[in-house]
Amino acid sequence: MANTKSNAGTVEVDGTRYDWHLQREPQHTDADGWKGMTISLLQDDAKREALLEFPAPKRLLKGLPRGRHQIDDATIARGVRAALAAGWEPMSRGKPMVFTVDSEGN
């Protein structure tokens, strides 16, 4: 079932469960302009978090009003796989690792 209306959830990728939550909505800063949303990922019983940074939606860059973000399990699963492929080790210790992904979570 897709989590399109929720700001948090759990997704299973390759037999492992990952909890996720929306950490930051897109926001405008004077220094950087529009920054996209950020999703926090944490594997069950793991210590190290991953942060997925998505690009700002094109509608915001064009000056259109904000809309509801559509986050689904497939996008989160792609983000988990992208973070793991980029070197995220959930069982290691340390600061959260930040990964920039595209709008599809790749």
Side-chain angles (χ1 to χ4, degrees), residues 83-106:
L84 291 170
W88 177 41
E89 296 177 4
M91 297 310 258
S92 66
R93 295 175 51 190
K95 294 180 189 179
M97 295 183 71
V98 180
F99 301 96
T100 302
V101 295
D102 63 14
S103 60
E104 299 295 318
N106 296 312

Side-chain angles (χ1 to χ4, degrees), residues 7-59:
N7 289 334
T10 301
V11 65
E12 188 170 322
V13 176
D14 301 327
T16 305
R17 293 170 47 104
Y18 297 87
D19 294 325
W20 65 270
H21 72 273
L22 178 65
Q23 185 170 14
R24 183 187 71 217
E25 299 253 356
Q27 61 186 10
H28 187 271
T29 63
D30 292 334
D32 299 324
W34 280 104
K35 295 185 79 167
M37 72 176 167
T38 301
I39 301 290
S40 171
L41 297 173
L42 188 62
Q43 180 181 325
D44 281 354
D45 299 324
K47 299 174 183 165
R48 193 168 202 181
E49 184 178 32
L51 302 175
L52 301 179
E53 291 186 345
F54 289 82
K58 290 180 182 179
R59 69 179 177 277

Side-chain angles (χ1 to χ4, degrees), residues 59-81:
R59 69 179 177 277
L60 296 176
L61 299 174
K62 294 179 182 178
L64 298 174
R66 294 182 189 213
R68 177 82 173 126
H69 301 290
Q70 299 299 317
I71 305 168
D72 60 10
D73 288 344
T75 302
I76 300 299
R78 284 190 298 272
V80 167
R81 286 188 180 99

